Amino acid sequence: MFKPKVPTMPQPTGLTTLPTIVEPSAMVQHSPQSSMPLAAPTAATRPTVQLTPGAVIALVGGGAAVVLVVGAVLVSMLLAVAITGASVAICALVIRSLIASDNQHR
């Protein structure tokens, strides 16, 4: 009852089919008179990126703006953490002072 039962791999039942072999078809050669002239392959037309001086200035200006905005956000977060830490330290000193003065008056 407490022994694990290992399942056995069942054997395939029924008819099994062998893989079919596909042979390539024979090539048909045409006479030179019946062949049609083939068009020359055309090169794929891809849009080219052209950077004008105005576009370069816009990219540089956009990059500088992103750097300034990200820097301002990071500096403001650091300032918020510093102000929060200082205010918690001041609150701890005030509470410590109140507890110490309360113990002296008893």
Side-chain angles (χ1 to χ4, degrees):
M1 178 173 173
F2 294 107
K3 291 182 181 179
K5 295 181 180 178
V6 179
T8 58
M9 178 63 96
Q11 298 297 325
T13 58
L15 297 175
T16 58
T17 59
L18 297 175
T20 58
I21 299 173
V22 178
E23 294 182 12
S25 61
M27 295 179 57
V28 178
Q29 295 190 4
H30 296 285
S31 62
Q33 290 95 11
S34 66
S35 65
M36 296 176 25
L38 298 175
T42 58
T45 57
R46 290 185 288 166
T48 57
V49 177
Q50 296 178 354
L51 291 177
T52 61
V56 171
I57 292 173
L59 284 174
V60 170
V66 166
V67 167
L68 289 176
V69 168
V70 169
V73 168
L74 291 177
V75 167
S76 65
M77 289 173 63
L78 180 64
L79 186 62
V81 168
I83 291 172
T84 303
S87 64
V88 167
I90 292 171
C91 289
L93 289 175
V94 169
I95 291 173
R96 181 179 170 197
S97 172
L98 289 174
I99 291 174
S101 68
D102 187 38
N103 287 339
Q104 289 177 356
H105 292 296
R106 286 188 177 186

